[in-house]
Amino acid sequence: MLGPLRAWRDGTLLHLGPVRRQTVLAALLLRNGAVVSHEQLLDGVWGADPPASGTKVLASHVNPLRRTLDRTGTRHTESVIRSGKGWYRFVLDDVRLDLADLAEQGDEALRTKASGDLAGAADQLDTALALFQGEPLANLSGPFALAERERLLERRRTLRLARLACLVDLGRYGDALDDLASLPDSDRYDESMLALRMRALYGGERQAEALHAYEDMRRRLSDELGVDPGEELRRVHEAVLRQDDVSLLGPAVRAAVLTQPVPARRSVNQLPGDTGQLVGREAELAALTSPDPDDAVSVVAVDGAAGVGKTALAVRAAHRIRDRYPDGCLFVDLHAHSAERGRPAPERVLRRLLRSIGADGGEVSDDLDDLMAAWRAVTSSLRLLLLLDDAADAGQIRPLLPAGPGSRVIVTGRQRLAGLDAGRRITLESLGTGEATSLLRRIVGRERTDQEPEAAGELVRLCAGLPLALRIAGTRLQTRPAWTLAYLVDRMAGDEGRLVELSAGDRSVEAAFRLSYDQLPPEQQRGFRTLGVVPTVEFDVRTPAAMLGRPARDVEQILESLVDTSLLQQPLPGRYRLHDLVRVHARRLAAAVPAEAGTAREAALRLYLDAARVGSDWGAGGYPTGPEPSATSFTDWREAAVWLDEAGGELVDVVGQAVAYGRADHACWIAEALTDHFVGRGRLHECQAALETALPHADAVADRRMAPALHNCLGYTLTHRARFPEAFRHLRSALHLSRERGERHEEGRALVGLGAMTGLGATGPDAARSDEGASWIVAGRELAERYDDHWLVAMASFALGFVRHGQGRDEEALACFRDAHARGRAMGRPRAMSRALTSNLDLHLYLDPSAARVLFRQVADLVQRTGDVLLHTLTLARLGTAEHKAGNLDAAAAVFRHALAQLGTPAPLDDPDRDRREMDLRCRLGRTYRAAGRLAEAREQFRTALAVPGAHKYPKEHAQAVEGLGPGEDPVRPG
């Protein structure tokens, strides 16, 4: 991987195929044995320009890779590349990667350097850097390979800098300059590299060259980027000007160079031991260890949730930079979240600090101001590193700040100390999957962990990347060698088991969270409990405001205060979420107050029901039963629709939560009301999932309309998914149940749905009875008019128009479409209006193309505002044809390209007609190119249309593409 991608088996170099195939292999290898979905692979390898064949192209790369990498006779289930429904995984057992060697050798070398063995570290770093055989992942394309290449190049830079620093500190200036001379030109713009080069030049008595190199860099940065050199480079430049041997020469050289003896200085190191179990955090460590100005005291604040590893990170950083602070490295635990020990008074802490640096302070009174004055006076000439752990607030910190220029204070705490003047702030998040797995391997052992990769992955997920949880789980496995990882995973099932198992000795995840919760005021405690029953992982202020029955502004202040205590995360402005384990804790707290939790849960479900009904095109007549939307929930349908869009893929979970908590009535109402939103967004798979979650519980609710209503909704959804036999069965069930129960409203919906399918022949050739279908639609429309279901009346007219068009009765069809459009305008909903108007214009396209072109542009803009991607694509196709007919070929081509660009927006599961639609659009674009004389581009579009997977299944579009190529043309697209 550390160069061009190559592989060997038994010493024989394997042929890995073309670049794209190698990129697929790299994307699997670099996931560290994790499952990779088809969508992740497509995004990682092709980025924003996935192949037209979608996931089918992956098999064309994976299967040859298996034949190359597996031994002859290897069964599919034992291949190094495993697969399942929608995923692949590369099994790393018995596979050695040079990346693993780099990680092991590089980390060992950096530890050797930190221990002070510079010569040993230089040799180890040289060995590690020799693993690079050029640019990592050379020639591989795609966003994933690009990101990994950048990461590996940054790793190489870090190791190079470390080795050069060792050479300079050892006085091997010639070796350092030789290495620097061989670096690529891009690295010569690196200020850290130049700082080491200047030190090497100075050590080799080439002070003038060092100053000249700095001046060149300063001028280049100013001319090309408009910036000045950074703090590190300026400090080295000033040291060269002063001929400051102490700053510039390595420790091995200084003793020989400096003629004046250094006075003995008493230095103290109170830092806790570095456990060596910190994984990842490179960026945070870099921020904590980067140099600061010598003329001031620097303060760095590290905040994060309980158990996220703040102390481990701060201690590791302090050990790395302790040599910069010759007058002492001090540590104070401020016990903000200790159950056994209270917070120490600042007077007590100051006396201890004074004793630590050799100042008696016995003559100083116990007055806080006097002790602060003494501490500042004593430290004014010292360069100290002070680590203050587990701080409660800024008031605890301010009295303890030293006064010596160049001193540094690192503060850790769960609170975000907004009142503290910190030069840098670092918020620590949970570990990613790869880093969490690495930490588990360190604790439990690589062999034991890698024997159960699936269980290890699930254990990492249950611990939600929290280092404390991973350490506790790892400790339980360490002390119970008979346990398998899968056994521990089973024991952690459910909220109760999950937190019980994450406790070992005096360490407990829940206890850590509880200490944070106990220190909250009552208002914030109630707010936190309420968040435990929010039905989605992510939410905005509106949901908890409804659950608490409080104004949004007041609740936002509560949420922001919980963010400041690290109990709540804020991934985006105005959006909040709980860490997985914190959510479990909040749910347990909420369960202890069942009446409060029940009221909050009911309010949340009611809010989602209101949003779905207000945002729906169906209008009030579409929901004759169930609660009316609250007048205060949403001002209009646009606000409700935007709010539902922001919930993203979690809307289905809301229905599941309602079922799980015994609110079957709300589950059914919400699933029904979300149908229009889902279908309008082309999210048909989610719509079906929500309805199928609620349907089994429909007969258990008091609202007898729900069973036929949900069957109707499923029929409507499955029709859009082109799954006609299933849709027909659900609509039949809806018709039977609605008549049995006297639910005439749902009877009308079922009749319109069945009539549309029958009239258009969607249920098969034997069922293509257009007159019978039309009569069903008319009967359904009459029922809808009787019960004021304006949306259904519009849809019935819309469907009847299609049937009449199919019968060749275009004037009647136009009348139906006009009626549907008028109904849509009366409702004031653009989607209901635009569906009918688009079909109306579809007929006008052949009757009056010039008038249709102007109207189509208006409709395209209208449809785009609705968010209905599929309908917008269809409208663009017709607009392009209208432009072509009007002779505006460039405009037509631009419209067709726009339609093709957004063709893949809905997921494949939600767009069963995608391949046919692509062929149609490419044939239209090809004909436009041909008319414009752009023959090569036209032929390419026709060939691409024929290369669509399963193109022969669409005879009309297939014939158009073959005709477009003309006689004698090769119908197979090159490549």
Side-chain angles (χ1 to χ4, degrees):
M1 313 290 281
L2 300 174
L5 185 61
R6 292 183 293 172
W8 292 264
R9 185 176 61 243
D10 299 332
T12 301
L13 182 66
L14 305 176
H15 178 63
L16 298 178
V19 169
R20 188 78 78 181
R21 188 169 300 156
Q22 294 182 35
T23 307
V24 171
L25 174 60
L28 289 169
L29 282 168
L30 288 163
R31 303 286 184 166
N32 203 25
V35 167
V36 188
S37 70
H38 289 172
E39 289 75 16
Q40 288 174 309
L41 270 179
L42 288 170
D43 289 344
V45 176
W46 282 272
D49 188 26
S53 54
T55 58
K56 297 177 184 178
V57 75
L58 294 176
S60 70
H61 291 300
V62 170
N63 291 333
L65 285 172
R66 284 171 167 158
R67 290 192 294 270
T68 300
L69 299 173
D70 294 335
R71 296 183 184 279
T72 304
T74 300
R75 289 184 297 179
H76 184 73
T77 55
E78 296 176 353
S79 170
V80 292
I81 303 180
R82 306 284 169 83
S83 61
K85 187 175 182 180
W87 60 265
Y88 291 102
R89 180 170 74 86
F90 196 103
V91 180
L92 292 174
D93 301 340
D94 302 322
V95 175
R96 179 178 176 183
L97 299 179
D98 55 2
L99 292 180
D101 294 341
L102 177 68
E104 181 179 348
Q105 294 177 23
D107 289 348
E108 179 61 26
L110 293 175
R111 284 194 292 270
T112 302
K113 181 176 181 291
S115 73
D117 181 4
L118 300 179
D123 291 339
Q124 291 172 347
L125 287 163
D126 191 51
T127 302
L129 286 165
L131 292 171
F132 286 91
Q133 301 296 309
E135 183 183 67
L137 306 174
N139 303 321
L140 298 193
S141 59
F144 185 83
L146 177 62
E148 288 298 311
R149 184 181 299 116
E150 291 298 321
R151 181 181 66 82
L152 292 170
L153 288 172
E154 182 59 27
R155 177 66 167 169
R156 181 169 68 178
R157 174 184 176 275
T158 299
L159 298 178
R160 277 177 170 170
L161 284 171
R163 182 174 182 274
L164 289 166
C166 289
L167 295 177
V168 171
D169 287 340
L170 288 166
R172 293 167 55 183
Y173 305 122
D175 292 342
L177 290 170
D178 287 344
D179 280 9
L180 286 162
S182 65
L183 293 176
D185 289 339
S186 58
D187 282 343
R188 290 178 181 148
Y189 287 78
D190 189 319
E191 291 189 44
S192 296
M193 294 282 188
L194 180 58
L196 287 168
R197 181 166 178 257
M198 290 176 64
R199 288 182 59 198
L201 288 168
Y202 179 86
E205 299 184 350
R206 297 157 65 181
Q207 181 185 9
E209 288 185 49
L211 295 172
H212 182 69
Y214 174 86
E215 186 59 24
D216 280 350
M217 174 66 87
R218 186 198 64 75
R219 188 181 302 110
R220 192 160 51 244
L221 290 174
S222 176
D223 293 344
E224 298 175 11
L225 302 177
V227 298
D228 295 323
E231 180 62 29
E232 176 189 16
L233 193 55
R234 291 202 305 271
R235 191 162 54 245
V236 171
H237 175 243
E238 291 166 4
V240 172
L241 288 172
R242 296 195 310 266
Q243 299 184 15
D244 184 354
D245 291 342
V246 174
S247 297
L248 296 170
L249 302 180
V253 183
R254 283 200 296 263
V257 174
L258 301 179
T259 56
Q260 298 296 325
V262 179
R265 178 186 288 130
R266 180 181 182 275
S267 180
V268 61
N269 181 7
Q270 296 179 341
L271 297 176
D274 188 347
T275 63
Q277 287 192 345
L278 186 72
V279 172
R281 310 301 195 197
E282 285 83 3
E284 292 87 352
L285 275 171
L288 279 172
T289 57
S290 61
D292 276 316
D294 290 333
D295 58 353
V297 176
S298 66
V299 179
V300 184
V302 181
D303 64 77
V308 80
K310 301 180 293 295
T311 302
L313 172 69
V315 169
R316 171 68 58 86
H319 276 285
R320 288 194 178 180
I321 61 175
R322 64 185 183 187
D323 291 342
R324 302 180 197 167
Y325 304 95
D327 297 307
C329 300
L330 310 179
F331 177 87
V332 179
D333 189 341
L334 296 174
H335 298 295
H337 298 89
S338 173
E340 295 81 19
R341 304 177 63 178
R343 301 177 189 175
E347 294 86 351
R348 177 183 167 194
V349 176
L350 284 169
R351 286 204 179 277
R352 175 186 156 189
L353 289 172
L354 286 166
R355 289 194 300 271
S356 297
I357 59 175
D360 183 9
E363 72 283 0
V364 182
S365 72
D366 288 332
D367 181 77
L368 178 59
D369 289 339
D370 290 345
L371 285 167
M372 289 168 57
W375 168 244
R376 291 166 183 164
V378 171
T379 59
S380 62
S381 61
L382 302 181
R383 190 182 179 97
L384 296 170
L385 173 62
L386 177 58
L387 175 49
L388 301 174
D389 190 43
D390 195 19
D393 51 47
Q396 252 190 324
I397 306 302
R398 292 192 197 98
L400 311 180
L401 298 178
S407 293
R408 175 174 295 192
V409 181
I410 301 176
V411 184
T412 75
R414 301 180 192 180
Q415 289 275 359
R416 293 184 175 174
L417 306 177
L420 185 66
D421 292 329
R424 233 168 287 157
R425 296 181 186 274
I426 298 169
T427 296
L428 214 54
E429 305 289 353
S430 297
L431 296 173
T433 301
E435 293 171 336
T437 305
S438 297
L439 178 57
L440 192 65
R441 282 198 187 101
R442 283 197 186 181
I443 302 169
V444 180
R446 176 177 290 274
E447 181 178 357
R448 189 176 175 190
T449 304
D450 292 350
Q451 281 177 350
E452 301 180 76
E454 289 82 7
E458 181 62 11
L459 185 57
V460 165
R461 187 191 69 79
L462 289 171
C463 292
L466 192 71
L468 175 61
L470 289 161
R471 289 194 178 98
I472 292 174
T475 299
R476 292 182 74 78
L477 291 167
Q478 270 185 338
T479 57
R480 293 162 176 80
W483 282 18
T484 63
L485 274 70
Y487 178 70
L488 178 56
V489 167
D490 288 340
R491 291 174 63 93
M492 292 175 67
D495 289 357
E496 186 75 27
R498 196 169 175 186
L499 290 181
V500 166
E501 293 301 323
L502 293 179
S503 176
D506 61 351
R507 293 196 299 179
S508 164
V509 169
E510 185 164 32
F513 294 155
R514 184 75 197 214
L515 286 168
S516 294
Y517 171 79
D518 286 343
Q519 294 185 17
L520 298 174
E523 183 180 56
Q524 292 179 24
Q525 286 185 342
R526 186 189 171 200
F528 180 71
R529 291 194 303 270
T530 298
L531 298 183
V533 293
V534 171
T536 57
V537 173
E538 236 182 62
F539 48 89
D540 66 355
V541 69
R542 188 189 296 266
T543 304
M547 298 169 77
L548 289 166
R550 299 277 303 277
R553 184 177 297 276
D554 294 348
V555 174
E556 184 179 28
Q557 291 180 355
I558 294 173
L559 296 180
E560 291 295 329
S561 67
L562 292 174
V563 170
D564 287 339
T565 62
S566 298
L567 283 170
L568 185 63
Q569 299 170 333
Q570 192 172 38
L572 293 170
R575 302 290 295 176
Y576 303 90
R577 63 175 294 149
L578 291 170
H579 181 278
D580 285 357
L581 291 174
V582 176
R583 187 181 305 107
V584 172
H585 177 56
R587 278 201 297 262
R588 284 163 61 88
L589 291 171
V593 193
E596 176 186 281
T599 300
R601 190 177 291 115
E602 187 85 15
L605 295 177
R606 177 62 188 275
L607 180 66
Y608 277 91
L609 176 60
D610 285 357
R613 288 190 169 183
V614 172
S616 167
D617 271 4
W618 292 5
Y623 307 102
T625 59
E628 290 288 329
S630 168
T632 59
S633 295
F634 297 92
T635 56
D636 59 20
W637 68 269
R638 295 175 185 82
E639 184 184 17
V642 168
W643 188 76
L644 291 172
D645 283 334
E646 289 174 349
E650 294 194 72
L651 290 174
V652 178
D653 296 335
V654 176
V655 179
Q657 287 273 20
V659 169
Y661 287 107
R663 303 296 202 278
D665 48 358
H666 278 85
C668 294
W669 290 329
I670 294 170
E672 177 197 29
L674 284 173
T675 298
D676 185 61
H677 176 81
F678 278 138
V679 172
R681 298 299 189 270
R683 293 160 59 184
L684 305 176
H685 183 67
E686 291 174 77
C687 189
Q688 182 179 347
L691 291 166
E692 290 177 343
T693 299
L695 182 59
H697 308 275
D699 286 327
V701 303
D703 189 346
R704 290 171 55 82
R705 188 182 66 84
M706 277 298 99
L710 295 185
H711 278 294
N712 268 329
C713 290
L714 272 167
Y716 178 60
T717 304
L718 290 164
T719 299
H720 279 80
R721 295 193 68 186
R723 293 166 62 169
F724 300 118
E726 295 172 69
F728 198 81
R729 286 196 298 273
H730 279 289
L731 291 170
R732 276 290 192 189
S733 296
L735 185 62
H736 171 73
L737 287 170
S738 59
R739 286 174 172 172
E740 181 183 81
R741 300 182 181 190
E743 295 291 344
R744 304 303 300 278
H745 181 278
E746 297 306 324
E747 180 183 351
R749 292 198 168 217
L751 284 170
V752 172
L754 288 168
M757 293 181 69
T758 304
L760 295 171
T763 54
D766 294 337
R769 302 181 298 274
S770 60
D771 285 336
E772 183 180 12
S775 66
W776 285 0
I777 295 172
V778 170
R781 184 170 65 177
E782 289 174 354
L783 283 173
E785 287 176 332
R786 187 184 309 172
Y787 293 102
D788 294 326
D789 189 343
H790 302 295
W791 178 86
L792 184 57
V793 173
M795 291 303 103
S797 295
F798 174 65
L800 187 59
F802 271 114
V803 175
R804 295 306 186 208
H805 175 56
Q807 294 172 329
R809 297 156 65 176
D810 286 345
E811 289 301 325
E812 294 179 54
L814 281 172
C816 290
F817 291 143
R818 290 191 191 102
D819 180 67
H821 180 227
R823 304 276 184 170
R825 287 182 64 86
M827 285 187 287
R829 301 297 177 90
R831 195 160 66 86
M833 182 170 29
S834 58
R835 290 173 70 92
L837 193 56
T838 299
S839 302
N840 191 349
L841 290 173
D842 205 11
L843 290 179
H844 271 303
L845 181 61
Y846 302 99
L847 301 175
D848 186 2
S850 59
R853 182 168 57 90
V854 176
L855 291 175
F856 260 124
R857 284 205 173 275
Q858 297 173 359
V859 176
D861 293 339
L862 177 68
V863 176
Q864 188 172 24
R865 293 200 300 272
T866 70
D868 192 328
V869 178
L870 293 178
L871 185 59
H872 189 222
T873 304
L874 291 171
T875 307
L876 289 174
R878 286 148 179 78
L879 172 59
T881 299
E883 294 284 10
H884 184 130
K885 285 178 175 292
N888 301 320
L889 300 181
D890 288 343
V895 171
F896 289 138
R897 288 194 297 268
H898 184 185
L900 280 167
Q902 71 173 27
L903 184 63
T905 301
L909 284 172
D910 293 323
D911 188 4
D913 206 28
R914 184 197 181 284
D915 292 340
R916 188 204 62 76
R917 193 176 296 110
E918 180 183 354
M919 292 180 69
D920 174 66
L921 284 169
R922 292 197 182 280
C923 287
R924 291 177 191 245
L925 179 57
R927 289 193 293 270
T928 299
Y929 280 150
R930 187 173 59 193
R934 298 161 65 174
L935 300 182
E937 293 169 274
R939 285 193 292 271
E940 176 63 19
Q941 290 301 321
F942 292 128
R943 290 194 184 103
T944 305
L946 290 171
V948 168
H952 62 280
K953 294 188 297 186
Y954 310 107
K956 175 183 174 183
E957 289 74 18
H958 189 278
Q960 290 175 350
V962 171
E963 179 186 356
L965 284 174
E969 287 280 358
D970 181 4
V972 180
R973 183 173 59 156

